[in-house]
Amino acid sequence: MFGGFVRRYAHQSRELGCKMVFTVFFPPAVTKAPVVYYLSGLTCTDENFVQKAGAQRKAAELGLAVVAPDTSPRGLGIEGEDESWDFGTGAGFYLDATADKWRQYRMYSYITQELPALLRSMPELDVDNAGIMGHSMGGHGALTIALKNPTAYKSVSAFAPICNPTQVPWGQKAFAGYLGEQWQEVAQQYDATELARQYSGPSLPVLMDTGTDDEFLKTQLHPWAFEEAARGKLQVESRMNEGYDHSYFTIATFMDDHLSFHAKHILPSAA
């Protein structure tokens, strides 16, 4: 595709205890390509991004590899894992669950440890030069993972991220289920706004795009909370785009901007 290759892999995950899949776009004519991770949103798999986001043309032009993992463990046989579209299968929320029933839901450790270790076995990838981005639940994941591991990622971006999940229904449902009865005491470590308030690391560059017609803007996303918390601590560009919604049409519209943003910070020539 555009001179590069879209390759889908399957492996047995140690962290999650099941088979996991992920897709990598390898750009053409690059011996060791910097990596941008893309974390998808609720109900999605790696294939939503690969087929709908339109990232490959720009990634090929810039010489970036784009890695798209799945959004949760699958087929664990946990009672209730397929009952809701916003919890369980397809809704791992990029955290490490502590409630006994859900302890195999360890997407945070999978994304930050197991997946990069696996990618290091691919000589075409430069995992040490990496950025991370995501959409909605995946935007939440990208922001929180970058803020908790600021030396592992040189840039972070998000499309319509869930910025303050401890204060909105999607996040509260996920945290209560995955973290147990006392979730309020530990959930701040997975809330980008709370992490930004306490942040004292390097001033990471952050790009966020949200649509004014996003149906979840006021009820679930709250980008203004993150903007306020990050002021003076992170290099945040947060854009409100007139008329755009929560869909992949919006993601595709601004994808080139996000890849160019990451390229500016992670390509060796940018160092």
Side-chain angles (χ1 to χ4, degrees), residues 173-214:
K173 179 177 180 177
F175 293 157
Y178 294 133
L179 303 177
E181 292 182 3
Q182 306 301 317
W183 67 267
Q184 293 96 334
E185 298 174 12
V186 293
Q188 290 187 358
Q189 66 180 298
Y190 298 116
D191 184 312
T193 296
E194 296 301 328
L195 288 169
R197 284 197 184 106
Q198 303 159 23
Y199 187 75
S200 59
S203 183
L204 280 168
V206 182
L207 174 62
M208 301 198 311
D209 272 298
T210 310
T212 60
D213 285 11
D214 192 311

mmCIF file of all heavy atoms in Angstrom, residues 173-214:
data_model
loop_
_atom_site.group_PDB
_atom_site.id
_atom_site.type_symbol
_atom_site.label_atom_id
_atom_site.label_comp_id
_atom_site.label_asym_id
_atom_site.label_seq_id
_atom_site.Cartn_x
_atom_site.Cartn_y
_atom_site.Cartn_z
ATOM 1 N N LYS A 173 -18.008 3.865 34.731
ATOM 2 C CA LYS A 173 -18.436 2.472 34.557
ATOM 3 C C LYS A 173 -17.221 1.557 34.419
ATOM 4 O O LYS A 173 -17.152 0.492 35.061
ATOM 5 C CB LYS A 173 -19.326 2.348 33.323
ATOM 6 C CG LYS A 173 -19.787 0.923 33.051
ATOM 7 C CD LYS A 173 -20.736 0.854 31.856
ATOM 8 C CE LYS A 173 -21.189 -0.572 31.601
ATOM 9 N NZ LYS A 173 -22.162 -0.652 30.483
ATOM 10 N N ALA A 174 -16.265 1.951 33.590
ATOM 11 C CA ALA A 174 -15.076 1.125 33.369
ATOM 12 C C ALA A 174 -14.254 0.989 34.644
ATOM 13 O O ALA A 174 -13.835 -0.119 35.019
ATOM 14 C CB ALA A 174 -14.226 1.721 32.254
ATOM 15 N N PHE A 175 -14.025 2.103 35.325
ATOM 16 C CA PHE A 175 -13.197 2.064 36.525
ATOM 17 C C PHE A 175 -13.849 1.261 37.646
ATOM 18 O O PHE A 175 -13.189 0.493 38.338
ATOM 19 C CB PHE A 175 -12.888 3.481 37.002
ATOM 20 C CG PHE A 175 -12.006 4.271 36.065
ATOM 21 C CD1 PHE A 175 -12.015 5.654 36.076
ATOM 22 C CD2 PHE A 175 -11.178 3.638 35.143
ATOM 23 C CE1 PHE A 175 -11.206 6.392 35.229
ATOM 24 C CE2 PHE A 175 -10.366 4.361 34.278
ATOM 25 C CZ PHE A 175 -10.383 5.743 34.329
ATOM 26 N N ALA A 176 -15.156 1.433 37.819
ATOM 27 C CA ALA A 176 -15.855 0.677 38.859
ATOM 28 C C ALA A 176 -15.776 -0.822 38.585
ATOM 29 O O ALA A 176 -15.600 -1.629 39.508
ATOM 30 C CB ALA A 176 -17.313 1.124 38.942
ATOM 31 N N GLY A 177 -15.894 -1.199 37.324
ATOM 32 C CA GLY A 177 -15.848 -2.614 36.981
ATOM 33 C C GLY A 177 -14.458 -3.204 37.054
ATOM 34 O O GLY A 177 -14.248 -4.266 37.653
ATOM 35 N N TYR A 178 -13.484 -2.511 36.475
ATOM 36 C CA TYR A 178 -12.129 -3.057 36.392
ATOM 37 C C TYR A 178 -11.316 -2.875 37.667
ATOM 38 O O TYR A 178 -10.416 -3.672 37.948
ATOM 39 C CB TYR A 178 -11.367 -2.409 35.228
ATOM 40 C CG TYR A 178 -11.903 -2.740 33.860
ATOM 41 C CD1 TYR A 178 -12.101 -1.728 32.915
ATOM 42 C CD2 TYR A 178 -12.207 -4.044 33.492
ATOM 43 C CE1 TYR A 178 -12.588 -2.013 31.645
ATOM 44 C CE2 TYR A 178 -12.697 -4.340 32.228
ATOM 45 C CZ TYR A 178 -12.884 -3.325 31.308
ATOM 46 O OH TYR A 178 -13.363 -3.604 30.052
ATOM 47 N N LEU A 179 -11.589 -1.822 38.418
ATOM 48 C CA LEU A 179 -10.761 -1.498 39.591
ATOM 49 C C LEU A 179 -11.448 -1.837 40.909
ATOM 50 O O LEU A 179 -10.820 -1.749 41.962
ATOM 51 C CB LEU A 179 -10.369 -0.014 39.561
ATOM 52 C CG LEU A 179 -9.627 0.447 38.292
ATOM 53 C CD1 LEU A 179 -9.358 1.942 38.349
ATOM 54 C CD2 LEU A 179 -8.322 -0.330 38.105
ATOM 55 N N GLY A 180 -12.732 -2.184 40.880
ATOM 56 C CA GLY A 180 -13.410 -2.638 42.089
ATOM 57 C C GLY A 180 -14.071 -1.524 42.882
ATOM 58 O O GLY A 180 -14.103 -0.362 42.477
ATOM 59 N N GLU A 181 -14.577 -1.887 44.051
ATOM 60 C CA GLU A 181 -15.406 -0.987 44.861
ATOM 61 C C GLU A 181 -14.694 0.297 45.255
ATOM 62 O O GLU A 181 -15.301 1.353 45.354
ATOM 63 C CB GLU A 181 -15.896 -1.721 46.115
ATOM 64 C CG GLU A 181 -16.899 -2.831 45.810
ATOM 65 C CD GLU A 181 -17.396 -3.495 47.072
ATOM 66 O OE1 GLU A 181 -17.001 -3.044 48.179
ATOM 67 O OE2 GLU A 181 -18.183 -4.462 46.967
ATOM 68 N N GLN A 182 -13.418 0.229 45.495
ATOM 69 C CA GLN A 182 -12.668 1.410 45.921
ATOM 70 C C GLN A 182 -11.984 2.102 44.734
ATOM 71 O O GLN A 182 -10.909 2.676 44.872
ATOM 72 C CB GLN A 182 -11.603 1.002 46.965
ATOM 73 C CG GLN A 182 -12.152 0.226 48.152
ATOM 74 C CD GLN A 182 -13.198 1.008 48.911
ATOM 75 O OE1 GLN A 182 -13.043 2.203 49.161
ATOM 76 N NE2 GLN A 182 -14.292 0.344 49.291
ATOM 77 N N TRP A 183 -12.638 2.062 43.575
ATOM 78 C CA TRP A 183 -11.992 2.566 42.362
ATOM 79 C C TRP A 183 -11.614 4.027 42.444
ATOM 80 O O TRP A 183 -10.619 4.464 41.854
ATOM 81 C CB TRP A 183 -12.887 2.321 41.145
ATOM 82 C CG TRP A 183 -14.173 3.100 41.127
ATOM 83 C CD1 TRP A 183 -15.374 2.695 41.600
ATOM 84 C CD2 TRP A 183 -14.378 4.413 40.585
ATOM 85 N NE1 TRP A 183 -16.330 3.663 41.400
ATOM 86 C CE2 TRP A 183 -15.747 4.730 40.767
ATOM 87 C CE3 TRP A 183 -13.556 5.347 39.952
ATOM 88 C CZ2 TRP A 183 -16.297 5.945 40.355
ATOM 89 C CZ3 TRP A 183 -14.096 6.553 39.547
ATOM 90 C CH2 TRP A 183 -15.448 6.841 39.738
ATOM 91 N N GLN A 184 -12.381 4.827 43.204
ATOM 92 C CA GLN A 184 -12.075 6.265 43.287
ATOM 93 C C GLN A 184 -10.685 6.523 43.852
ATOM 94 O O GLN A 184 -10.064 7.540 43.543
ATOM 95 C CB GLN A 184 -13.120 6.984 44.154
ATOM 96 C CG GLN A 184 -14.514 7.010 43.557
ATOM 97 C CD GLN A 184 -15.393 5.893 44.089
ATOM 98 O OE1 GLN A 184 -14.885 4.842 44.509
ATOM 99 N NE2 GLN A 184 -16.698 6.098 44.096
ATOM 100 N N GLU A 185 -10.191 5.596 44.672
ATOM 101 C CA GLU A 185 -8.894 5.796 45.307
ATOM 102 C C GLU A 185 -7.721 5.565 44.356
ATOM 103 O O GLU A 185 -6.629 6.057 44.584
ATOM 104 C CB GLU A 185 -8.767 4.864 46.515
ATOM 105 C CG GLU A 185 -9.811 5.130 47.601
ATOM 106 C CD GLU A 185 -9.741 4.098 48.719
ATOM 107 O OE1 GLU A 185 -8.753 3.327 48.752
ATOM 108 O OE2 GLU A 185 -10.678 4.061 49.548
ATOM 109 N N VAL A 186 -7.958 4.791 43.292
ATOM 110 C CA VAL A 186 -6.847 4.447 42.393
ATOM 111 C C VAL A 186 -7.048 4.924 40.952
ATOM 112 O O VAL A 186 -6.108 4.928 40.159
ATOM 113 C CB VAL A 186 -6.599 2.924 42.390
ATOM 114 C CG1 VAL A 186 -6.090 2.471 43.746
ATOM 115 C CG2 VAL A 186 -7.854 2.158 42.018
ATOM 116 N N ALA A 187 -8.257 5.343 40.610
ATOM 117 C CA ALA A 187 -8.563 5.663 39.211
ATOM 118 C C ALA A 187 -7.837 6.901 38.701
ATOM 119 O O ALA A 187 -7.683 7.064 37.485
ATOM 120 C CB ALA A 187 -10.070 5.846 39.041
ATOM 121 N N GLN A 188 -7.370 7.766 39.591
ATOM 122 C CA GLN A 188 -6.683 8.979 39.139
ATOM 123 C C GLN A 188 -5.450 8.666 38.309
ATOM 124 O O GLN A 188 -5.058 9.463 37.460
ATOM 125 C CB GLN A 188 -6.320 9.858 40.334
ATOM 126 C CG GLN A 188 -7.534 10.494 40.996
ATOM 127 C CD GLN A 188 -7.148 11.489 42.071
ATOM 128 O OE1 GLN A 188 -5.965 11.688 42.364
ATOM 129 N NE2 GLN A 188 -8.133 12.119 42.678
ATOM 130 N N GLN A 189 -4.852 7.496 38.543
ATOM 131 C CA GLN A 189 -3.656 7.126 37.772
ATOM 132 C C GLN A 189 -3.989 6.808 36.312
ATOM 133 O O GLN A 189 -3.096 6.648 35.484
ATOM 134 C CB GLN A 189 -2.954 5.930 38.412
ATOM 135 C CG GLN A 189 -3.749 4.640 38.378
ATOM 136 C CD GLN A 189 -3.034 3.482 39.018
ATOM 137 O OE1 GLN A 189 -1.962 3.090 38.558
ATOM 138 N NE2 GLN A 189 -3.595 2.954 40.094
ATOM 139 N N TYR A 190 -5.292 6.702 35.997
ATOM 140 C CA TYR A 190 -5.725 6.474 34.622
ATOM 141 C C TYR A 190 -6.616 7.612 34.115
ATOM 142 O O TYR A 190 -7.432 7.417 33.219
ATOM 143 C CB TYR A 190 -6.482 5.149 34.523
ATOM 144 C CG TYR A 190 -5.642 3.939 34.876
ATOM 145 C CD1 TYR A 190 -5.952 3.159 35.985
ATOM 146 C CD2 TYR A 190 -4.539 3.578 34.103
ATOM 147 C CE1 TYR A 190 -5.184 2.044 36.317
ATOM 148 C CE2 TYR A 190 -3.768 2.472 34.428
ATOM 149 C CZ TYR A 190 -4.102 1.706 35.531
ATOM 150 O OH TYR A 190 -3.338 0.605 35.856
ATOM 151 N N ASP A 191 -6.437 8.784 34.668
ATOM 152 C CA ASP A 191 -7.216 9.950 34.260
ATOM 153 C C ASP A 191 -6.231 11.022 33.791
ATOM 154 O O ASP A 191 -5.423 11.525 34.569
ATOM 155 C CB ASP A 191 -8.047 10.464 35.453
ATOM 156 C CG ASP A 191 -8.960 11.614 35.090
ATOM 157 O OD1 ASP A 191 -8.501 12.567 34.436
ATOM 158 O OD2 ASP A 191 -10.145 11.576 35.486
ATOM 159 N N ALA A 192 -6.288 11.372 32.490
ATOM 160 C CA ALA A 192 -5.306 12.297 31.915
ATOM 161 C C ALA A 192 -5.332 13.655 32.599
ATOM 162 O O ALA A 192 -4.284 14.288 32.788
ATOM 163 C CB ALA A 192 -5.555 12.457 30.423
ATOM 164 N N THR A 193 -6.510 14.128 32.977
ATOM 165 C CA THR A 193 -6.607 15.435 33.628
ATOM 166 C C THR A 193 -5.948 15.399 35.001
ATOM 167 O O THR A 193 -5.192 16.321 35.365
ATOM 168 C CB THR A 193 -8.083 15.861 33.733
ATOM 169 O OG1 THR A 193 -8.601 16.035 32.411
ATOM 170 C CG2 THR A 193 -8.228 17.159 34.499
ATOM 171 N N GLU A 194 -6.205 14.358 35.763
ATOM 172 C CA GLU A 194 -5.581 14.229 37.083
ATOM 173 C C GLU A 194 -4.076 14.036 36.955
ATOM 174 O O GLU A 194 -3.297 14.605 37.733
ATOM 175 C CB GLU A 194 -6.205 13.053 37.848
ATOM 176 C CG GLU A 194 -7.679 13.221 38.171
ATOM 177 C CD GLU A 194 -7.951 14.456 39.014
ATOM 178 O OE1 GLU A 194 -7.094 14.823 39.830
ATOM 179 O OE2 GLU A 194 -9.022 15.060 38.848
ATOM 180 N N LEU A 195 -3.642 13.261 35.976
ATOM 181 C CA LEU A 195 -2.204 13.075 35.762
ATOM 182 C C LEU A 195 -1.533 14.391 35.365
ATOM 183 O O LEU A 195 -0.415 14.682 35.798
ATOM 184 C CB LEU A 195 -1.970 12.021 34.683
ATOM 185 C CG LEU A 195 -2.276 10.577 35.075
ATOM 186 C CD1 LEU A 195 -2.254 9.667 33.845
ATOM 187 C CD2 LEU A 195 -1.282 10.068 36.122
ATOM 188 N N ALA A 196 -2.205 15.187 34.544
ATOM 189 C CA ALA A 196 -1.636 16.476 34.137
ATOM 190 C C ALA A 196 -1.513 17.414 35.330
ATOM 191 O O ALA A 196 -0.528 18.168 35.445
ATOM 192 C CB ALA A 196 -2.503 17.106 33.045
ATOM 193 N N ARG A 197 -2.486 17.378 36.230
ATOM 194 C CA ARG A 197 -2.425 18.236 37.423
ATOM 195 C C ARG A 197 -1.189 17.933 38.266
ATOM 196 O O ARG A 197 -0.587 18.814 38.855
ATOM 197 C CB ARG A 197 -3.679 18.037 38.277
ATOM 198 C CG ARG A 197 -4.917 18.708 37.736
ATOM 199 C CD ARG A 197 -6.004 18.844 38.783
ATOM 200 N NE ARG A 197 -7.206 19.420 38.191
ATOM 201 C CZ ARG A 197 -8.314 18.749 37.918
ATOM 202 N NH1 ARG A 197 -8.381 17.454 38.201
ATOM 203 N NH2 ARG A 197 -9.347 19.342 37.360
ATOM 204 N N GLN A 198 -0.817 16.663 38.325
ATOM 205 C CA GLN A 198 0.300 16.245 39.175
ATOM 206 C C GLN A 198 1.609 16.128 38.401
ATOM 207 O O GLN A 198 2.640 15.777 38.978
ATOM 208 C CB GLN A 198 -0.038 14.880 39.798
ATOM 209 C CG GLN A 198 -1.329 14.851 40.610
ATOM 210 C CD GLN A 198 -1.889 13.445 40.760
ATOM 211 O OE1 GLN A 198 -1.165 12.464 40.645
ATOM 212 N NE2 GLN A 198 -3.189 13.346 41.002
ATOM 213 N N TYR A 199 1.583 16.421 37.112
ATOM 214 C CA TYR A 199 2.718 16.125 36.239
ATOM 215 C C TYR A 199 3.918 17.020 36.526
ATOM 216 O O TYR A 199 3.777 18.233 36.709
ATOM 217 C CB TYR A 199 2.293 16.299 34.783
ATOM 218 C CG TYR A 199 3.335 15.860 33.782
ATOM 219 C CD1 TYR A 199 3.573 14.516 33.554
ATOM 220 C CD2 TYR A 199 4.077 16.797 33.062
ATOM 221 C CE1 TYR A 199 4.515 14.098 32.632
ATOM 222 C CE2 TYR A 199 5.025 16.402 32.139
ATOM 223 C CZ TYR A 199 5.241 15.040 31.917
ATOM 224 O OH TYR A 199 6.183 14.641 31.003
ATOM 225 N N SER A 200 5.108 16.412 36.550
ATOM 226 C CA SER A 200 6.331 17.200 36.769
ATOM 227 C C SER A 200 7.465 16.741 35.857
ATOM 228 O O SER A 200 8.618 17.031 36.105
ATOM 229 C CB SER A 200 6.778 17.082 38.235
ATOM 230 O OG SER A 200 7.013 15.719 38.567
ATOM 231 N N GLY A 201 7.117 16.006 34.807
ATOM 232 C CA GLY A 201 8.133 15.488 33.891
ATOM 233 C C GLY A 201 8.460 16.453 32.776
ATOM 234 O O GLY A 201 8.122 17.642 32.839
ATOM 235 N N PRO A 202 9.122 15.944 31.720
ATOM 236 C CA PRO A 202 9.456 16.799 30.567
ATOM 237 C C PRO A 202 8.200 17.320 29.892
ATOM 238 O O PRO A 202 7.152 16.665 29.922
ATOM 239 C CB PRO A 202 10.241 15.854 29.651
ATOM 240 C CG PRO A 202 9.880 14.476 30.089
ATOM 241 C CD PRO A 202 9.593 14.556 31.541
ATOM 242 N N SER A 203 8.302 18.480 29.266
ATOM 243 C CA SER A 203 7.141 19.139 28.670
ATOM 244 C C SER A 203 6.785 18.497 27.324
ATOM 245 O O SER A 203 7.179 18.960 26.262
ATOM 246 C CB SER A 203 7.418 20.631 28.484
ATOM 247 O OG SER A 203 6.290 21.281 27.985
ATOM 248 N N LEU A 204 6.028 17.417 27.385
ATOM 249 C CA LEU A 204 5.657 16.681 26.178
ATOM 250 C C LEU A 204 4.806 17.521 25.229
ATOM 251 O O LEU A 204 3.925 18.263 25.676
ATOM 252 C CB LEU A 204 4.850 15.438 26.560
ATOM 253 C CG LEU A 204 5.606 14.205 27.049
ATOM 254 C CD1 LEU A 204 4.620 13.207 27.636
ATOM 255 C CD2 LEU A 204 6.379 13.570 25.895
ATOM 256 N N PRO A 205 5.024 17.402 23.920
ATOM 257 C CA PRO A 205 4.132 18.048 22.956
ATOM 258 C C PRO A 205 2.859 17.223 22.783
ATOM 259 O O PRO A 205 2.906 16.000 22.625
ATOM 260 C CB PRO A 205 4.957 18.068 21.666
ATOM 261 C CG PRO A 205 5.968 16.981 21.813
ATOM 262 C CD PRO A 205 6.208 16.803 23.279
ATOM 263 N N VAL A 206 1.706 17.900 22.813
ATOM 264 C CA VAL A 206 0.396 17.249 22.741
ATOM 265 C C VAL A 206 -0.446 17.951 21.682
ATOM 266 O O VAL A 206 -0.559 19.175 21.684
ATOM 267 C CB VAL A 206 -0.345 17.319 24.098
ATOM 268 C CG1 VAL A 206 -1.683 16.593 24.006
ATOM 269 C CG2 VAL A 206 0.503 16.759 25.231
ATOM 270 N N LEU A 207 -1.065 17.163 20.785
ATOM 271 C CA LEU A 207 -2.010 17.700 19.815
ATOM 272 C C LEU A 207 -3.351 16.988 20.005
ATOM 273 O O LEU A 207 -3.403 15.761 20.060
ATOM 274 C CB LEU A 207 -1.506 17.463 18.384
ATOM 275 C CG LEU A 207 -2.462 17.854 17.252
ATOM 276 C CD1 LEU A 207 -2.761 19.352 17.266
ATOM 277 C CD2 LEU A 207 -1.898 17.427 15.890
ATOM 278 N N MET A 208 -4.442 17.766 20.121
ATOM 279 C CA MET A 208 -5.771 17.182 20.262
ATOM 280 C C MET A 208 -6.718 17.833 19.261
ATOM 281 O O MET A 208 -6.691 19.055 19.085
ATOM 282 C CB MET A 208 -6.321 17.378 21.675
ATOM 283 C CG MET A 208 -5.466 16.774 22.772
ATOM 284 S SD MET A 208 -6.338 16.539 24.353
ATOM 285 C CE MET A 208 -7.106 18.120 24.612
ATOM 286 N N ASP A 209 -7.541 17.011 18.625
ATOM 287 C CA ASP A 209 -8.582 17.505 17.724
ATOM 288 C C ASP A 209 -9.929 16.954 18.163
ATOM 289 O O ASP A 209 -10.092 15.734 18.319
ATOM 290 C CB ASP A 209 -8.306 17.065 16.284
ATOM 291 C CG ASP A 209 -7.424 18.050 15.543
ATOM 292 O OD1 ASP A 209 -7.854 19.212 15.387
ATOM 293 O OD2 ASP A 209 -6.315 17.672 15.126
ATOM 294 N N THR A 210 -10.892 17.844 18.364
ATOM 295 C CA THR A 210 -12.249 17.467 18.748
ATOM 296 C C THR A 210 -13.225 18.260 17.894
ATOM 297 O O THR A 210 -12.946 19.402 17.520
ATOM 298 C CB THR A 210 -12.492 17.777 20.243
ATOM 299 O OG1 THR A 210 -11.420 17.233 21.018
ATOM 300 C CG2 THR A 210 -13.796 17.162 20.725
ATOM 301 N N GLY A 211 -14.366 17.671 17.570
ATOM 302 C CA GLY A 211 -15.364 18.344 16.749
ATOM 303 C C GLY A 211 -16.418 19.052 17.583
ATOM 304 O O GLY A 211 -16.838 18.543 18.624
ATOM 305 N N THR A 212 -16.869 20.203 17.121
ATOM 306 C CA THR A 212 -17.924 20.918 17.848
ATOM 307 C C THR A 212 -19.251 20.169 17.798
ATOM 308 O O THR A 212 -20.112 20.362 18.652
ATOM 309 C CB THR A 212 -18.145 22.323 17.255
ATOM 310 O OG1 THR A 212 -18.531 22.193 15.875
ATOM 311 C CG2 THR A 212 -16.888 23.174 17.364
ATOM 312 N N ASP A 213 -19.430 19.281 16.780
ATOM 313 C CA ASP A 213 -20.661 18.504 16.663
ATOM 314 C C ASP A 213 -20.496 17.075 17.182
ATOM 315 O O ASP A 213 -21.317 16.208 16.883
ATOM 316 C CB ASP A 213 -21.129 18.459 15.204
ATOM 317 C CG ASP A 213 -21.743 19.779 14.760
ATOM 318 O OD1 ASP A 213 -21.619 20.780 15.500
ATOM 319 O OD2 ASP A 213 -22.334 19.815 13.669
ATOM 320 N N ASP A 214 -19.449 16.856 17.952
ATOM 321 C CA ASP A 214 -19.258 15.537 18.565
ATOM 322 C C ASP A 214 -20.354 15.326 19.601
ATOM 323 O O ASP A 214 -20.480 16.100 20.554
ATOM 324 C CB ASP A 214 -17.872 15.465 19.227
ATOM 325 C CG ASP A 214 -17.484 14.059 19.627
ATOM 326 O OD1 ASP A 214 -18.308 13.373 20.266
ATOM 327 O OD2 ASP A 214 -16.340 13.657 19.326
#
